Structure formats: structure tokens, C-alpha cells
């Protein structure tokens, strides 16, 4: 069966560090960074990238639509 691997890209300067994506990820991939962006907000990042399935729950829930999801299929 094909395996789907995902990855996400966060628009750092538009992230407001609300953490909603962190709480919604079913695979515990995300965390808020210790570093802040230009507006002083901690940015969501992939703390556990290997676990991402590309389900896109984070992108759907993000109130500012700053997450882009990419999926790759492995046979
Ligand atoms: S795409 Fe799914 S698994 Fe990957 S970080 Fe977002 S919510 Fe988590
Ligand atoms: S839900 Fe969006 S704005 Fe909130 S921390 Fe995640 S990426 Fe940033």
C-alpha cells in the first residue's frame, strides 16, 4: 500500500502564535517555536516532522490561513 508523507510550510511573518494548529494536529507534529517573528509572536514549527501525514487539519483550522501542506506518495 502506498504511504503518504506530509510536510508543512508556515508563513512565519503572518503566524500569530495562537497555537490552534498545535492542538489540532492528530500526530503531535507541531509546537510553538521559542523564537519569535518580526511581530513578536512565537511561530508554529514542525517539532516532529517525520510523523506528518499531510492530513491538512492544521491548515484548515489556522484562522489566518498561513499554513501550506505538501504531500508526497511513496509506493
Ligand atoms: S498536515 Fe496533519 S499531520 Fe501534518 S502537521 Fe498538519 S495537522 Fe499535523
Ligand atoms: S494556527 Fe496559524 S496563526 Fe495560529 S499558531 Fe498555527 S500557524 Fe500560527
Amino acid at each position: 500500500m502506498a504511504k503518504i508523507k506530509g510536510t508543512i510550510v508556515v508563513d512565519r511573518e503572518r503566524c500569530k502564535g495562537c497555537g490552534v494548529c498545535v492542538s489540532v494536529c492528530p500526530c503531535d507534529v507541531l509546537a510553538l517555536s521559542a523564537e519569535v517573528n518580526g511581530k513578536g509572536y512565537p511561530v508554529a514549527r514542525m517539532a516532529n516532522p517525520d510523523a506528518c501525514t499531510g492530513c491538512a487539519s492544521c491548515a484548515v483550522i489556522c484562522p489566518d490561513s498561513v499554513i501550506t501542506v505538501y504531500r508526497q506518495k511513496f509506493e
Side-chain angles (χ1 to χ4, degrees):
M1 201 175 98
K3 187 171 163 36
I4 307 284
K5 171 108 181 60
T7 192
I8 67 154
V9 174
V10 177
D11 184 339
R12 287 179 54 88
E13 291 309 313
R14 289 177 57 220
C15 175
K16 62 186 179 191
C18 66
V20 176
C21 57
V22 177
S23 60
V24 82
C25 175
C27 305
D28 285 333
V29 172
L30 302 173
L32 290 181
S33 174
E35 294 169 30
V36 296
N37 63 14
K39 294 178 189 150
Y41 297 133
V43 177
R45 68 178 186 90
M46 294 185 91
N48 187 16
D50 289 345
C52 180
T53 60
C55 72
S57 296
C58 55
V60 171
I61 204 86
C62 175
D64 290 42
S65 302
V66 305
I67 300 178
T68 306
V69 179
Y70 297 94
R71 290 191 197 99
Q72 198 173 2
K73 188 168 160 186
F74 297 92
E75 297 298 337

